[in-house]
Amino acid sequence: MIGSRAVGRTQLDSSTPVDVIDIKEVTKDVGQVSLNQILNYVAPSFSSNTQVISDGTDHIDPASLRGLGPDQVLVLINGKRRHTTSLVNINGSFGKGSVGTDLNAIPTSAIKRIEILRDGAAAQYGSDAIAGVINIVLEDSTDKLRASISYGGNLSRNAEDNFDGETFQANVNYGVKVGEKGGFVNVAGSYDKRQPFNRQKEFTGTIFSDYNRPDLYPNPTGKDITEEELARRGETRADYVSRIGQSKNEGGAIFINSLFPVSDKTEIYAFGGLNYRLGESAAFRRQPAQLHQTVASIYPNGFLPLIQTNNYDRSLAAGIRSEINGWKVDFSNTYGNNTIDFGVKNTVNASMKESSPTSFEAGGYRFTQNTTNLDFTRFFDDVLAGINVAFGAEFRYENYQIVGGEESSYANYGKVRQIGVDGNGKPVYVQDFNGNINTLFAANGTALAGGAQAFPGFLPANEVNANRHSVAGYLDTEFNFTKDFLVAAALRYEDYSDLDQR
């Protein structure tokens, strides 16, 4: 049971506040389909909301316990540490500057129950458990086929045709027995599709200036001619809106949970899964009047940039549990990797003018975590009313990478840097994407913007390939002085290899 390493303790007499959620019951009674939505619905201490115009955070919802940051919530699967996503939350989204765990990468059909420890547990589980711990217990049933399909959307007068944001999810789970001693292999899969919606009705700023109509205004001054031009075209401001609302998402996942007894006291276990999701979110629309960000020959009416997120997630945990001289011993290794690649389409690099492509590969993130644990637990029933002692060690390796985008996704081809003068005293320039001199200008005199509009790619200077490791040891004790009086104490030591570099 989460929050206690005592084998016989249940949630009813736990010394810490623990919510236990039966996923099958919840998904049967409510219309929530993703894990974040389910926890939002049933756990008051849990909070997660869909973000808008936040790049990759539009597709990976940051989660919180007790109002603390996403990086202060530890997520376990079958009691083993789950890796975090590679995405750093930016753009003013919740948990800005932090990295959390992508709970939606785990299909609900793979889950038997969820245990939420609503209390800080850093001494027991590590420094990232300050807000609490979420333990996801995977399904272990056999010879039962469980499948579900759900469909829904928003019926709203604010929606186009009064209905939008459709979501579809299909789940399946089936397990088979292995041997005669309780072994099993349980397989779960899911497919999800979510359509976007928009809640911006009209754009109130400048859409057209007199620079957009040199045939009517041969000597433009920057005058706003939006209403005049819309009337001429038979259009409205609603034809030039951004997309403020839910992003588009589509993908699937497969998870496996297995157990193989090898003797009366020893068993081998393994679990893990694969998840892929393709997301598409919209940025702020570039209006025709934004001359330095648009290319009129490509998009005469401006454009709505779209950011694509290819999200790959993979994990595998394996271990062996046994009993040696009265001590329960658990040795395990848990691997996790998250890869996110960004693409930008329906956009331009304005500094490339008419030669600009309309889609770009912008680079991405990589995060790998490998955790090795050795845990010992024993309950002494002949001392006081019982004493539980647990101790163990953990070694964790982490690698984080930022991969650069293609040159046209980040370059400003109008930037130069002066390196000297020629024989006639004239400046000599060389192209430098980070230079401080602009050479390309829009008709209104504003320097043309470089990089893919809405999401400039990662520069070579941004590229990172960093490693670190940590070593931890813990001691966890529970003293039952009587059946009604318990004292628990825990001590943990952690040493990070990069701590002295901060």
Side-chain angles (χ1 to χ4, degrees):
M1 180 66 191
I2 190 174
S4 171
R5 291 187 170 91
V7 176
R9 190 164 299 282
T10 69
Q11 67 269 25
L12 296 178
D13 60 359
S14 172
S15 59
T16 52
V18 177
D19 295 326
V20 179
I21 301 163
D22 187 324
I23 287 294
K24 290 192 290 290
E25 293 299 319
V26 173
T27 54
K28 182 174 63 177
D29 296 336
V30 301
Q32 314 300 330
V33 294
S34 69
L35 186 51
N36 273 3
Q37 289 176 333
I38 290 171
L39 293 178
N40 248 346
Y41 181 80
V42 299
S45 61
F46 181 90
S47 176
S48 177
N49 296 295
T50 301
Q51 306 292 298
V52 177
I53 308 186
S54 300
D55 299 338
T57 312
D58 281 19
H59 313 292
I60 300 176
D61 303 332
S64 167
L65 275 178
R66 302 190 293 130
L68 299 177
D71 57 343
Q72 296 173 338
V73 180
L74 175 63
V75 176
L76 308 175
I77 296 186
N78 285 351
K80 305 302 178 184
R81 179 184 293 269
R82 172 76 173 178
H83 64 281
T84 62
T85 178
S86 61
L87 177 73
V88 180
N89 297 304
I90 57 173
N91 283 4
S93 63
F94 175 76
K96 183 177 181 179
S98 68
V99 176
T101 302
D102 184 8
L103 293 172
N104 289 337
I106 306 165
T108 56
S109 58
I111 302 172
K112 180 178 183 179
R113 69 176 185 272
I114 299 175
E115 302 166 349
I116 302 178
L117 173 61
R118 294 178 283 110
D119 200 358
Q124 285 180 299
Y125 296 102
S127 56
D128 50 355
I130 296 172
V133 182
I134 299 174
N135 183 35
I136 298 170
V137 181
L138 298 180
E139 184 62 73
D140 56 5
S141 64
T142 59
D143 300 326
K144 295 179 181 178
L145 176 63
R146 179 159 55 94
S148 66
I149 294 177
S150 63
Y151 174 80
N154 302 313
L155 187 62
S156 171
R157 60 186 176 85
N158 295 314
E160 185 177 353
D161 298 326
N162 297 320
F163 187 74
D164 63 6
E166 300 98 313
T167 60
F168 172 83
Q169 185 184 81
N171 281 293
V172 65
N173 180 283
Y174 186 72
V176 296
K177 294 180 180 178
V178 177
E180 302 298 327
K181 297 182 178 180
F184 66 88
V185 175
N186 184 278
V187 181
S190 71
Y191 169 76
D192 300 85
K193 186 172 184 178
R194 183 180 78 184
Q195 295 293 348
F197 64 74
N198 182 32
R199 290 296 178 265
Q200 183 183 11
K201 288 303 181 182
E202 65 176 32
F203 177 71
T204 59
T206 300
I207 299 175
F208 297 99
S209 74
D210 51 6
Y211 281 100
N212 297 119
R213 293 303 303 265
D215 55 327
L216 299 177
Y217 298 91
N219 299 302
T221 61
K223 174 185 175 183
D224 185 346
I225 62 168
T226 300
E227 300 302 333
E228 174 187 339
E229 187 63 19
L230 289 175
R232 191 192 320 274
R233 294 165 174 246
E235 298 174 335
T236 69
R237 287 180 174 272
D239 295 316
Y240 292 83
V241 297
S242 301
R243 185 196 295 169
I244 310 298
Q246 175 177 276
S247 62
K248 182 179 180 181
N249 230 340
E250 182 176 9
I254 183 170
F255 250 71
I256 297 177
N257 185 30
S258 62
L259 179 70
F260 308 99
V262 295
S263 70
D264 292 339
K265 294 184 178 181
T266 304
E267 58 189 19
I268 296 172
Y269 59 89
F271 57 88
L274 301 172
N275 178 278
Y276 170 73
R277 298 201 304 277
L278 173 62
E280 180 187 276
S281 60
F284 289 111
R285 184 183 181 89
R286 270 48 175 181
Q287 305 294 357
Q290 296 172 280
L291 303 180
H292 67 296
Q293 295 177 305
T294 61
V295 179
S297 60
I298 300 176
Y299 295 114
N301 297 326
F303 56 92
L304 181 67
L306 299 173
I307 302 171
Q308 289 188 319
T309 304
N310 287 278
N311 186 355
Y312 305 86
D313 203 280
R314 45 188 80 82
S315 63
L316 177 64
I320 182 170
R321 287 190 288 255
S322 188
E323 185 174 328
I324 303 174
N325 296 327
W327 289 89
K328 295 186 181 297
V329 183
D330 186 347
F331 178 73
S332 65
N333 189 83
T334 306
Y335 167 86
N337 173 267
N338 180 252
T339 296
I340 296 177
D341 289 317
F342 294 102
V344 196
K345 68 178 185 178
N346 200 47
T347 187
V348 294
N349 180 334
S351 69
M352 298 179 71
K353 299 184 176 181
E354 291 79 6
S355 62
S356 173
T358 58
S359 63
F360 302 84
E361 296 297 326
Y365 302 121
R366 312 281 187 269
F367 178 68
T368 299
Q369 182 182 85
N370 192 83
T371 307
T372 304
N373 290 93
L374 179 60
D375 303 294
F376 298 85
T377 305
R378 185 171 180 178
F379 184 75
F380 298 89
D381 56 5
D382 55 351
V383 182
L384 300 176
I387 296 178
N388 193 80
V389 178
F391 65 92
E394 176 181 281
F395 178 81
R396 188 161 77 248
Y397 166 83
E398 296 174 336
N399 173 261
Y400 186 77
Q401 299 180 47
I402 298 178
V403 179
E406 60 179 315
E407 181 182 289
S408 59
S409 72
Y410 60 78
N412 187 327
Y413 294 97
K415 292 278 191 178
V416 298
R417 172 172 52 89
Q418 184 177 348
I419 60 172
V421 295
D422 61 14
N424 298 318
K426 295 182 178 180
V428 177
Y429 301 108
V430 295
Q431 188 175 68
D432 184 346
F433 301 147
N434 297 311
N436 58 357
I437 301 174
N438 293 297
T439 61
L440 298 176
F441 299 91
N444 61 359
T446 305
L448 293 179
Q453 282 298 304
F455 194 101
F458 297 112
L459 283 73
N462 300 138
E463 293 187 319
V464 169
N465 189 349
N467 303 295
R468 75 170 184 177
H469 65 267
S470 69
V471 179
Y474 71 89
L475 174 65
D476 188 350
T477 57
E478 293 186 1
F479 299 89
N480 294 273
F481 288 94
T482 69
K483 291 183 178 180
D484 301 316
F485 182 52
L486 166 72
V487 175
L491 177 68
R492 187 180 183 94
Y493 170 82
E494 292 184 325
D495 179 29
Y496 287 84
S497 61
D498 60 343
L499 185 62
D500 57 347
Q501 301 175 17
R502 296 178 181 175

Short mmCIF file of all heavy atoms in Angstrom, two decimals, residues 97-142:
data_model
loop_
_atom_site.label_atom_id
_atom_site.label_comp_id
_atom_site.label_asym_id
_atom_site.label_seq_id
_atom_site.Cartn_x
_atom_site.Cartn_y
_atom_site.Cartn_z
N GLY A 97 8.33 26.17 -16.36
CA GLY A 97 9.71 25.89 -15.98
C GLY A 97 9.92 24.52 -15.38
O GLY A 97 11.06 24.16 -15.07
N SER A 98 8.85 23.73 -15.23
CA SER A 98 8.99 22.42 -14.62
C SER A 98 8.65 21.32 -15.62
O SER A 98 8.13 21.58 -16.70
CB SER A 98 8.07 22.29 -13.40
OG SER A 98 6.71 22.28 -13.80
N VAL A 99 8.95 20.09 -15.23
CA VAL A 99 8.68 18.92 -16.05
C VAL A 99 7.85 17.94 -15.22
O VAL A 99 8.19 17.66 -14.07
CB VAL A 99 9.98 18.24 -16.51
CG1 VAL A 99 9.68 16.96 -17.28
CG2 VAL A 99 10.81 19.19 -17.37
N GLY A 100 6.77 17.46 -15.77
CA GLY A 100 5.91 16.51 -15.05
C GLY A 100 5.81 15.17 -15.76
O GLY A 100 6.49 14.92 -16.76
N THR A 101 4.96 14.32 -15.24
CA THR A 101 4.73 12.99 -15.82
C THR A 101 3.49 13.03 -16.70
O THR A 101 2.47 13.59 -16.33
CB THR A 101 4.54 11.95 -14.70
OG1 THR A 101 5.71 11.95 -13.87
CG2 THR A 101 4.34 10.56 -15.28
N ASP A 102 3.59 12.41 -17.87
CA ASP A 102 2.47 12.38 -18.80
C ASP A 102 1.55 11.22 -18.42
O ASP A 102 1.71 10.09 -18.89
CB ASP A 102 2.99 12.21 -20.23
CG ASP A 102 1.89 12.27 -21.27
OD1 ASP A 102 0.74 12.58 -20.89
OD2 ASP A 102 2.17 12.01 -22.45
N LEU A 103 0.55 11.50 -17.60
CA LEU A 103 -0.37 10.45 -17.15
C LEU A 103 -1.23 9.91 -18.29
O LEU A 103 -1.62 8.74 -18.27
CB LEU A 103 -1.26 10.99 -16.03
CG LEU A 103 -0.54 11.32 -14.71
CD1 LEU A 103 -1.50 12.03 -13.75
CD2 LEU A 103 0.02 10.07 -14.07
N ASN A 104 -1.51 10.73 -19.28
CA ASN A 104 -2.37 10.30 -20.37
C ASN A 104 -1.69 9.30 -21.31
O ASN A 104 -2.33 8.76 -22.21
CB ASN A 104 -2.87 11.50 -21.17
CG ASN A 104 -3.88 12.32 -20.39
OD1 ASN A 104 -4.53 11.82 -19.47
ND2 ASN A 104 -4.02 13.58 -20.75
N ALA A 105 -0.39 9.07 -21.10
CA ALA A 105 0.30 8.06 -21.89
C ALA A 105 -0.04 6.65 -21.43
O ALA A 105 0.31 5.67 -22.10
CB ALA A 105 1.82 8.28 -21.82
N ILE A 106 -0.74 6.53 -20.30
CA ILE A 106 -1.10 5.22 -19.75
C ILE A 106 -2.57 4.96 -20.05
O ILE A 106 -3.44 5.70 -19.57
CB ILE A 106 -0.85 5.19 -18.23
CG1 ILE A 106 0.59 5.61 -17.94
CG2 ILE A 106 -1.15 3.82 -17.66
CD1 ILE A 106 0.85 5.95 -16.50
N PRO A 107 -2.91 3.95 -20.84
CA PRO A 107 -4.32 3.71 -21.17
C PRO A 107 -5.11 3.30 -19.93
O PRO A 107 -4.64 2.52 -19.10
CB PRO A 107 -4.25 2.57 -22.19
CG PRO A 107 -2.93 1.91 -21.96
CD PRO A 107 -2.00 2.98 -21.48
N THR A 108 -6.32 3.81 -19.81
CA THR A 108 -7.14 3.49 -18.64
C THR A 108 -7.49 2.01 -18.59
O THR A 108 -7.73 1.46 -17.51
CB THR A 108 -8.42 4.33 -18.65
OG1 THR A 108 -9.12 4.11 -19.88
CG2 THR A 108 -8.10 5.81 -18.51
N SER A 109 -7.52 1.35 -19.75
CA SER A 109 -7.83 -0.08 -19.76
C SER A 109 -6.74 -0.92 -19.11
O SER A 109 -6.97 -2.09 -18.78
CB SER A 109 -8.06 -0.55 -21.19
OG SER A 109 -6.91 -0.31 -21.99
N ALA A 110 -5.55 -0.35 -18.93
CA ALA A 110 -4.44 -1.09 -18.31
C ALA A 110 -4.44 -0.96 -16.80
O ALA A 110 -3.63 -1.61 -16.13
CB ALA A 110 -3.11 -0.59 -18.87
N ILE A 111 -5.34 -0.14 -16.24
CA ILE A 111 -5.26 0.22 -14.82
C ILE A 111 -6.32 -0.53 -14.01
O ILE A 111 -7.50 -0.56 -14.38
CB ILE A 111 -5.44 1.73 -14.64
CG1 ILE A 111 -4.37 2.48 -15.44
CG2 ILE A 111 -5.36 2.12 -13.17
CD1 ILE A 111 -4.58 3.98 -15.48
N LYS A 112 -5.89 -1.10 -12.91
CA LYS A 112 -6.81 -1.75 -11.97
C LYS A 112 -7.31 -0.75 -10.95
O LYS A 112 -8.51 -0.64 -10.69
CB LYS A 112 -6.10 -2.92 -11.29
CG LYS A 112 -6.96 -3.68 -10.30
CD LYS A 112 -6.18 -4.85 -9.70
CE LYS A 112 -7.03 -5.67 -8.75
NZ LYS A 112 -6.28 -6.82 -8.19
N ARG A 113 -6.41 -0.04 -10.34
CA ARG A 113 -6.78 0.99 -9.36
C ARG A 113 -5.67 2.02 -9.28
O ARG A 113 -4.55 1.80 -9.74
CB ARG A 113 -7.04 0.38 -7.98
CG ARG A 113 -5.80 -0.15 -7.27
CD ARG A 113 -6.11 -0.64 -5.86
NE ARG A 113 -4.90 -1.02 -5.16
CZ ARG A 113 -4.36 -2.22 -5.20
NH1 ARG A 113 -4.92 -3.18 -5.93
NH2 ARG A 113 -3.25 -2.48 -4.53
N ILE A 114 -6.01 3.15 -8.67
CA ILE A 114 -5.04 4.23 -8.46
C ILE A 114 -5.04 4.60 -6.98
O ILE A 114 -6.10 4.78 -6.39
CB ILE A 114 -5.38 5.47 -9.31
CG1 ILE A 114 -5.35 5.11 -10.80
CG2 ILE A 114 -4.41 6.61 -9.04
CD1 ILE A 114 -5.80 6.24 -11.70
N GLU A 115 -3.85 4.73 -6.42
CA GLU A 115 -3.69 5.13 -5.02
C GLU A 115 -3.03 6.51 -5.00
O GLU A 115 -1.98 6.71 -5.61
CB GLU A 115 -2.83 4.12 -4.26
CG GLU A 115 -3.39 2.71 -4.31
CD GLU A 115 -2.39 1.66 -3.86
OE1 GLU A 115 -1.20 1.99 -3.69
OE2 GLU A 115 -2.81 0.50 -3.67
N ILE A 116 -3.66 7.44 -4.33
CA ILE A 116 -3.14 8.81 -4.25
C ILE A 116 -2.80 9.13 -2.80
O ILE A 116 -3.69 9.19 -1.95
CB ILE A 116 -4.14 9.83 -4.80
CG1 ILE A 116 -4.51 9.51 -6.25
CG2 ILE A 116 -3.56 11.25 -4.71
CD1 ILE A 116 -5.54 10.45 -6.83
N LEU A 117 -1.53 9.33 -2.53
CA LEU A 117 -1.08 9.75 -1.21
C LEU A 117 -1.13 11.27 -1.16
O LEU A 117 -0.36 11.94 -1.82
CB LEU A 117 0.33 9.24 -0.94
CG LEU A 117 1.02 9.72 0.34
CD1 LEU A 117 0.24 9.29 1.57
CD2 LEU A 117 2.44 9.22 0.41
N ARG A 118 -2.04 11.80 -0.37
CA ARG A 118 -2.26 13.25 -0.31
C ARG A 118 -1.42 13.88 0.80
O ARG A 118 -1.91 14.65 1.62
CB ARG A 118 -3.74 13.54 -0.07
CG ARG A 118 -4.63 13.13 -1.21
CD ARG A 118 -6.09 13.38 -0.93
NE ARG A 118 -6.69 12.40 -0.04
CZ ARG A 118 -7.07 12.63 1.20
NH1 ARG A 118 -6.91 13.82 1.74
NH2 ARG A 118 -7.62 11.67 1.93
N ASP A 119 -0.15 13.59 0.79
CA ASP A 119 0.73 14.12 1.82
C ASP A 119 2.16 14.07 1.29
O ASP A 119 2.47 13.24 0.42
CB ASP A 119 0.61 13.30 3.11
CG ASP A 119 1.10 14.06 4.34
OD1 ASP A 119 1.56 15.21 4.17
OD2 ASP A 119 1.02 13.51 5.45
N GLY A 120 3.01 14.95 1.78
CA GLY A 120 4.40 14.92 1.38
C GLY A 120 5.05 13.63 1.82
O GLY A 120 4.83 13.15 2.93
N ALA A 121 5.88 13.04 0.95
CA ALA A 121 6.50 11.76 1.27
C ALA A 121 7.94 11.71 0.77
O ALA A 121 8.41 10.68 0.30
CB ALA A 121 5.69 10.63 0.67
N ALA A 122 8.64 12.85 0.85
CA ALA A 122 10.00 12.92 0.33
C ALA A 122 10.94 11.98 1.08
O ALA A 122 11.86 11.41 0.49
CB ALA A 122 10.52 14.35 0.41
N ALA A 123 10.73 11.80 2.38
CA ALA A 123 11.60 10.93 3.16
C ALA A 123 11.44 9.47 2.76
O ALA A 123 12.38 8.68 2.87
CB ALA A 123 11.33 11.10 4.65
N GLN A 124 10.26 9.12 2.29
CA GLN A 124 10.01 7.74 1.89
C GLN A 124 10.39 7.47 0.44
O GLN A 124 10.98 6.43 0.12
CB GLN A 124 8.54 7.39 2.09
CG GLN A 124 8.12 7.18 3.54
CD GLN A 124 6.65 6.83 3.63
OE1 GLN A 124 5.79 7.61 3.24
NE2 GLN A 124 6.35 5.66 4.15
N TYR A 125 10.04 8.41 -0.45
CA TYR A 125 10.12 8.12 -1.87
C TYR A 125 11.09 9.00 -2.65
O TYR A 125 11.39 8.69 -3.80
CB TYR A 125 8.73 8.25 -2.50
CG TYR A 125 7.74 7.25 -1.97
CD1 TYR A 125 6.79 7.62 -1.02
CD2 TYR A 125 7.75 5.93 -2.40
CE1 TYR A 125 5.87 6.70 -0.52
CE2 TYR A 125 6.84 5.01 -1.92
CZ TYR A 125 5.89 5.40 -0.98
OH TYR A 125 5.00 4.49 -0.50
N GLY A 126 11.54 10.09 -2.08
CA GLY A 126 12.47 10.95 -2.80
C GLY A 126 12.04 12.40 -2.82
O GLY A 126 10.91 12.74 -2.49
N SER A 127 12.95 13.26 -3.24
CA SER A 127 12.72 14.70 -3.18
C SER A 127 11.66 15.18 -4.15
O SER A 127 11.22 16.32 -4.05
CB SER A 127 14.04 15.44 -3.46
OG SER A 127 14.59 15.03 -4.70
N ASP A 128 11.25 14.34 -5.11
CA ASP A 128 10.18 14.75 -6.03
C ASP A 128 8.81 14.29 -5.55
O ASP A 128 7.84 14.31 -6.33
CB ASP A 128 10.45 14.23 -7.45
CG ASP A 128 10.77 12.74 -7.48
OD1 ASP A 128 10.87 12.13 -6.40
OD2 ASP A 128 10.92 12.20 -8.58
N ALA A 129 8.68 13.91 -4.29
CA ALA A 129 7.39 13.49 -3.73
C ALA A 129 6.90 14.47 -2.69
O ALA A 129 6.17 14.12 -1.77
CB ALA A 129 7.51 12.09 -3.13
N ILE A 130 7.28 15.74 -2.84
CA ILE A 130 6.91 16.77 -1.85
C ILE A 130 5.41 16.97 -1.81
O ILE A 130 4.81 17.14 -0.74
CB ILE A 130 7.63 18.10 -2.19
CG1 ILE A 130 9.14 17.91 -2.06
CG2 ILE A 130 7.15 19.21 -1.27
CD1 ILE A 130 9.94 19.11 -2.55
N ALA A 131 4.76 16.96 -2.98
CA ALA A 131 3.31 17.19 -3.03
C ALA A 131 2.51 15.92 -2.74
O ALA A 131 1.36 16.00 -2.34
CB ALA A 131 2.91 17.73 -4.40
N GLY A 132 3.11 14.78 -2.95
CA GLY A 132 2.42 13.52 -2.76
C GLY A 132 2.84 12.51 -3.80
O GLY A 132 3.75 12.75 -4.61
N VAL A 133 2.16 11.37 -3.79
CA VAL A 133 2.53 10.27 -4.67
C VAL A 133 1.26 9.69 -5.31
O VAL A 133 0.23 9.54 -4.65
CB VAL A 133 3.27 9.15 -3.90
CG1 VAL A 133 3.69 8.04 -4.85
CG2 VAL A 133 4.48 9.71 -3.16
N ILE A 134 1.35 9.40 -6.60
CA ILE A 134 0.29 8.70 -7.32
C ILE A 134 0.83 7.34 -7.74
O ILE A 134 1.80 7.27 -8.50
CB ILE A 134 -0.18 9.50 -8.55
CG1 ILE A 134 -0.75 10.85 -8.13
CG2 ILE A 134 -1.22 8.71 -9.34
CD1 ILE A 134 -1.10 11.75 -9.31
N ASN A 135 0.23 6.29 -7.22
CA ASN A 135 0.65 4.93 -7.58
C ASN A 135 -0.43 4.29 -8.45
O ASN A 135 -1.58 4.15 -8.03
CB ASN A 135 0.87 4.08 -6.32
CG ASN A 135 1.38 2.69 -6.66
OD1 ASN A 135 2.13 2.52 -7.62
ND2 ASN A 135 0.96 1.70 -5.90
N ILE A 136 -0.05 3.91 -9.66
CA ILE A 136 -0.97 3.29 -10.60
C ILE A 136 -0.73 1.78 -10.57
O ILE A 136 0.37 1.31 -10.90
CB ILE A 136 -0.75 3.84 -12.01
CG1 ILE A 136 -1.04 5.36 -12.04
CG2 ILE A 136 -1.62 3.12 -13.03
CD1 ILE A 136 -0.64 6.04 -13.31
N VAL A 137 -1.74 1.04 -10.15
CA VAL A 137 -1.65 -0.41 -10.08
C VAL A 137 -2.26 -1.00 -11.34
O VAL A 137 -3.45 -0.77 -11.64
CB VAL A 137 -2.37 -0.95 -8.83
CG1 VAL A 137 -2.26 -2.47 -8.75
CG2 VAL A 137 -1.78 -0.31 -7.57
N LEU A 138 -1.48 -1.75 -12.09
CA LEU A 138 -1.93 -2.27 -13.37
C LEU A 138 -2.85 -3.48 -13.20
O LEU A 138 -2.79 -4.21 -12.21
CB LEU A 138 -0.72 -2.65 -14.24
CG LEU A 138 0.23 -1.50 -14.61
CD1 LEU A 138 1.38 -2.02 -15.45
CD2 LEU A 138 -0.51 -0.38 -15.34
N GLU A 139 -3.68 -3.68 -14.20
CA GLU A 139 -4.65 -4.77 -14.21
C GLU A 139 -3.95 -6.13 -14.23
O GLU A 139 -2.96 -6.31 -14.95
CB GLU A 139 -5.57 -4.63 -15.41
CG GLU A 139 -6.70 -5.64 -15.49
CD GLU A 139 -7.63 -5.54 -14.32
OE1 GLU A 139 -8.42 -4.57 -14.27
OE2 GLU A 139 -7.57 -6.43 -13.45
N ASP A 140 -4.48 -7.08 -13.45
CA ASP A 140 -3.89 -8.42 -13.39
C ASP A 140 -4.93 -9.52 -13.63
O ASP A 140 -4.67 -10.69 -13.35
CB ASP A 140 -3.20 -8.65 -12.04
CG ASP A 140 -4.14 -8.44 -10.86
OD1 ASP A 140 -5.35 -8.19 -11.09
OD2 ASP A 140 -3.67 -8.51 -9.71
N SER A 141 -6.10 -9.15 -14.13
CA SER A 141 -7.15 -10.15 -14.35
C SER A 141 -6.80 -11.05 -15.52
O SER A 141 -6.01 -10.69 -16.41
CB SER A 141 -8.49 -9.46 -14.61
OG SER A 141 -8.43 -8.70 -15.80
N THR A 142 -7.38 -12.24 -15.53
CA THR A 142 -7.15 -13.20 -16.61
C THR A 142 -8.49 -13.77 -17.08
O THR A 142 -9.49 -13.76 -16.36
CB THR A 142 -6.25 -14.36 -16.14
OG1 THR A 142 -6.87 -15.02 -15.03
CG2 THR A 142 -4.88 -13.84 -15.74
#
